[in-house]
Amino acid sequence: MSGSDVLFAPVNGADHRNVNGVLLDVVRAGKGRIKRTIYPAGFRWVTGMKDVAHTDLCMHAHIGFIVCGHVQVRFPDGCTMDFTAPSAVVIEPGHVGWVVGDEAAVLIEVDFEGDTAQQFGLPETHRHD
Ligand SMILES: [Zn+2]
């Protein structure tokens, strides 16, 4: 395997899941997890994940690195963030997101499930102060 193929291949030793076409590979790491997520082209959180999350916004913090593709997120106050690979990614809880363009986005994250923002010392929500 070479080039960008390895970014899309099943992760060795990971727990694989397909959630409405979003491919998740998760490996446990102590209290946390190392996670590779492939968001397909055309993905929008509102149509692809909202029903699974049972919340109006994605309430996860995202800490990691986008290795392929282009993602935008928006907070309720109208602020947006734009991540094009290769970029570090830091997104506070309480947002919606979507894939831009016709290429899948591949995000590699470290998380602590529902406790990620607190563990990293991030605000629990997006704010200006
Ligand atoms: Zn803002």
Side-chain angles (χ1 to χ4, degrees), residues 110-127:
V110 174
D111 80 9
F112 296 87
E113 302 192 57
D115 205 25
T116 306
Q118 189 185 2
Q119 290 290 334
F120 276 98
L122 284 176
E124 290 295 327
T125 57
H126 170 78
R127 62 176 190 246

Side-chain angles (χ1 to χ4, degrees), residues 75 77-79 126-128:
F75 296 97
D77 70 352
C79 288
H126 170 78
R127 62 176 190 246
H128 303 263

